[in-house]
Amino acid sequence: MSQRDQTPVPELRVGVVGIGQRAPMAALANVPGVARVVSCADPDPRGRADALKLFGPDVVLHERYEKMADDGLDAVFVLTPDFVHTQPALFFLAAGVPVFVEKPLAITVEDCDTLLEAAHDTRSRLYVGHNLRHLPVLRRMRELIDDGAIGRVRAVWCRHFVGHGGDYYFKDWHAERANTTGLLLQKGAHDLDVIHWLAGGYSRSVVAQGDLAVYGGNPRRGADDPVPADGRMPDWFDPEVWPPSALRELNPVVDVEDISMMLARLDNGVLASYQQCHFTPDYWRNYTVIGDEGRLENFGDGMEGDPATIQVWNRHRSGYRRDADLTVTVDTPSEDDHGGADRALVDEFLRFAAAGGPTETSPVAAREAVAAAVAATASLRSGGTPVDVSPPAPAIADYFREHQPAGPRG
């Protein structure tokens, strides 16, 4: 395996651990002259068969990721289910290979901190797949905030309407706390990272309420019945099933909430709110940012190439006014990779794996999103008790703030 201090090869040799629903994103790493996927590992025969379809007949296949150690890798994507991110990531960090971990970084704060410490101690590059930081509409919102369009940010909230959430999250491993902690973490890690990013701070005190309001009563499969259609969401997804109560064959265990509401106070004094619902008829994210000189809000998020606009209000007025003081139309690519965000994410990781340097995503920010979600989940499951969120160790935070500099441990 390549070591961090070696000169990057002209074309990175890339590995992929876990050939599931997010594996097509890794296919974006096949860029002639830049990188090529040469090795994959998945214990499921279907995963290995899919690797051949995605990456070509020359890719080397393994059941266990440890066997990839002999394939001369320069970078690795860890795209396993959330609850098994930690061990393969630690394995490749220890070997000096730059690692991309799909979001969320892990499902516990302890595992997040273990991964950050491993990257710090080994000086191996760690990257986390928070693709929303590359979503055009959110990048434009951040630019408007940085340009002072609404003054100093004082509040941020997000409403996440998860249409078809039953098919997406309640028919497989996502429905179980043991695998996700909860959907406030698994699904919400994206939004909490964006809230922190737009607000310029991290959650330090949270309170939440939530419930299994709809899917708790839907018919489930038996404990010994196979996952529908061999086990991946696109196999069983049916957009015609409505209302949510009509959904059948849910996972045998369903113990995560399908609606959650969270309040947070950030370390810079900004107040934040996050609402997530898995039984809405539509599917998009709405972010509102309020400053001391105005507010801005997105309409449409461009995730699938749909139109997206940002409206900014600055003039004092009474009553509802549909017209804004500034309307920004955001161009969104039509390709099916989350509005171009996946392509930008993969390109940034490949550049980072080869040469290091600053990135739009942040492993510490990924850890902070998990920590906020873990605390909020604990709060809602204890009837809304306030929970404090502890920051990472100062030395760890400093190391990642400096963009993971090379050299011996200080």
Side-chain angles (χ1 to χ4, degrees):
M1 290 186 180
S2 340
Q3 297 300 313
R4 178 172 180 147
D5 57 355
Q6 289 180 330
T7 302
V9 295
E11 189 174 75
L12 296 177
R13 293 175 57 82
V14 176
V16 182
V17 182
I19 315 301
Q21 191 171 323
R22 284 295 276 159
M25 176 183 63
L28 299 173
N30 276 330
V31 181
V34 176
R36 180 167 53 97
V37 176
V38 299
S39 176
C40 296
D42 196 307
D44 186 348
R46 176 179 176 177
R48 297 194 296 276
D50 286 347
L52 294 174
K53 298 174 186 176
L54 284 169
F55 308 119
D58 296 330
V59 67
V60 179
L61 302 178
H62 304 282
E63 289 188 37
R64 296 184 57 81
Y65 62 81
E66 294 92 341
K67 297 294 185 180
M68 298 167 67
D70 297 327
D71 293 338
L73 301 179
D74 301 296
V76 169
F77 287 84
V78 175
L79 307 179
T80 64
D82 303 347
F83 56 98
V84 285
H85 282 174
T86 303
Q87 292 308 312
L90 289 174
F91 176 82
F92 288 105
L93 289 172
V97 178
V99 176
F100 176 113
V101 180
E102 175 62 336
K103 78 86 204 170
L105 178 57
I107 65 169
T108 68
V109 180
E110 293 77 12
D111 276 357
C112 287
D113 287 339
T114 296
L115 287 165
L116 295 182
E117 290 165 6
H120 172 266
D121 292 348
T122 63
R123 293 305 196 255
S124 299
R125 295 181 180 127
L126 175 63
Y127 188 92
V128 186
H130 276 285
N131 59 352
L132 290 192
R133 291 201 180 203
H134 291 282
L135 191 67
V137 67
L138 291 174
R139 294 187 63 78
R140 190 69 182 97
M141 291 179 78
R142 175 61 190 257
E143 289 171 359
L144 289 165
I145 292 168
D146 290 344
D147 289 343
I150 57 172
R152 182 185 177 193
V153 174
R154 302 309 305 157
V156 181
W157 56 70
C158 171
R159 299 180 299 163
H160 191 174
F161 310 105
V162 190
H164 308 298
D167 266 324
Y168 289 170
Y169 298 103
F170 288 85
K171 284 195 169 184
D172 63 4
W173 59 267
H174 295 85
E176 300 187 37
R177 297 181 183 187
N179 300 330
T180 63
T181 295
L183 295 177
L184 193 54
L185 187 158
Q186 199 287 329
K187 185 63 172 168
H190 268 319
D191 295 309
L192 294 174
D193 179 59
V194 170
I195 287 171
H196 290 161
W197 186 48
L198 297 178
Y202 295 124
S203 297
R204 289 293 169 256
S205 177
V206 303
V207 63
Q209 294 280 356
D211 197 7
L212 181 56
V214 171
Y215 296 116
N218 289 55
R220 308 180 188 183
R221 302 187 312 278
D224 297 326
D225 292 341
V227 177
D230 202 21
R232 295 189 189 166
M233 185 273 291
D235 299 331
W236 62 69
F237 175 58
D238 183 354
E240 301 305 316
V241 176
W242 186 260
S245 59
L247 208 65
R248 299 292 184 267
E249 292 191 321
L250 267 59
N251 196 62
V253 176
V254 176
D255 59 3
V256 296
E257 295 76 16
D258 54 22
I259 184 168
S260 303
M261 301 179 182
M262 167 185 168
L263 299 174
R265 181 180 293 275
L266 278 55
D267 53 12
N268 60 358
V270 172
L271 298 179
S273 169
Y274 176 52
Q275 302 173 49
Q276 179 191 98
C277 181
H278 286 264
F279 44 88
T280 59
D282 49 348
Y283 194 176
W284 65 294
R285 294 169 164 93
N286 168 251
Y287 296 92
T288 297
V289 186
I290 302 176
D292 54 13
E293 297 178 8
R295 74 177 175 92
L296 57 81
E297 184 174 357
N298 71 294
F299 296 89
D301 58 20
M303 286 288 282
E304 305 301 335
D306 297 330
T309 61
I310 302 166
Q311 292 188 293
V312 183
W313 289 267
N314 298 110
R315 290 183 296 119
H316 193 216
R317 65 190 76 189
S318 296
Y320 172 70
R321 290 277 300 274
R322 187 179 183 87
D323 59 308
D325 299 307
L326 173 66
T327 298
V328 179
T329 301
V330 180
D331 293 331
T332 55
S334 58
E335 59 261 32
D336 186 19
D337 70 340
H338 294 105
D342 285 353
R343 166 65 70 182
L345 186 79
V346 170
D347 288 348
E348 180 173 75
F349 170 63
L350 295 177
R351 188 269 303 162
F352 177 66
T359 59
E360 293 294 338
T361 66
S362 161
V364 164
R367 180 265 188 201
E368 292 280 19
V370 170
V374 167
T377 302
S379 175
L380 70 85
R381 290 176 184 165
S382 63
T385 302
V387 178
D388 291 335
V389 183
S390 298
I396 296 294
D398 290 345
Y399 174 70
F400 287 97
R401 190 179 299 114
E402 294 168 2
H403 311 299
Q404 306 180 56
R409 178 179 178 181

